[in-house]
Amino acid sequence: AAVTGSVEALKQASFESLAAHSRFYLEACRAALAAGARLLVLPEIALTWRLKGHGTLGDAVPIPGEAPEPFAALAKEAGATIALPVAERSAEGAFYNTGAGLGPQGLLGCYHKVHLATGEAESGLLPGEGVPVFDTPVGRLACNICMDSSAAESSRLAALGGAEVLALENSLAGWRAVAA
């Protein structure tokens, strides 16, 4: 399930804090799970989108950490897989546009966006170096983020790594899951 919320819900939502984003998306995730979804994919940088001062990396979060923990707990409780995109601050102090894979057993791993959009590198984001594939209850999963879809090798690397499902995050339309 692409977990984005309706346009109307997004207009009415209060995105004043990381906690507000988490509440909004956790509610949407619970609704998708109740409808039978087992793979949930949220929109690019879902937890910091439209935050005051967005565009800076001051709101980037560590993974693992406090921000992704409620989503990891929900994945464990539901026996589901959640692709949670965030602006990540690594333990080494590097910044990435990240898709964190969360499953029933916890953090599966992180995908760092390889093909950065105009302005991302200048803002301090670093590109990733590959396309990891994660074993999940719904199959072998790989992620691409937004501009990655403009380079064929992004999906090709996922397939060569054994991906059965490719989750493509798009900041405007949310995530779409397609066969690899």
Side-chain angles (χ1 to χ4, degrees), residues 3-85:
V3 180
T4 61
S6 68
V7 171
E8 194 57 38
L10 289 167
K11 285 180 183 177
Q12 293 177 9
S14 170
F15 290 117
E16 297 175 0
S17 68
L18 193 65
H21 278 75
S22 290
R23 283 190 300 275
F24 178 87
Y25 284 110
L26 282 166
E27 182 179 314
C29 285
R30 287 187 187 99
L33 290 166
R38 290 295 163 248
L39 169 60
L40 309 180
V41 192
L42 285 72
E44 182 176 16
I45 58 171
L47 298 185
T48 55
W49 178 71
R50 288 181 53 191
L51 274 181
K52 189 174 186 175
H54 175 67
T56 67
L57 297 175
D59 294 309
V61 299
I63 300 174
E66 186 178 325
E69 182 52 39
F71 295 90
L74 182 60
K76 183 176 184 177
E77 173 189 320
T81 302
I82 300 175
L84 177 68

Side-chain angles (χ1 to χ4, degrees), residues 7 16 22 28 33 55 61 63 71 78 91-92 95 99-101 107 114 117-118 140 143 152 162 168:
V7 171
E16 297 175 0
S22 290
L33 290 166
V61 299
I63 300 174
F71 295 90
E92 297 78 29
F95 294 95
L107 178 65
V114 173
T118 302
R140 294 184 43 80
C143 297
L168 171 60

Side-chain angles (χ1 to χ4, degrees), residues 7 44 49-50 56 113 119 123-124 126 129 131 147 154 156 175 177:
V7 171
E44 182 176 16
W49 178 71
R50 288 181 53 191
T56 67
K113 181 177 179 180
S123 74
L126 296 175
E129 296 181 0
V131 181
M147 288 299 291
S154 296
R156 182 174 181 274
W175 288 77

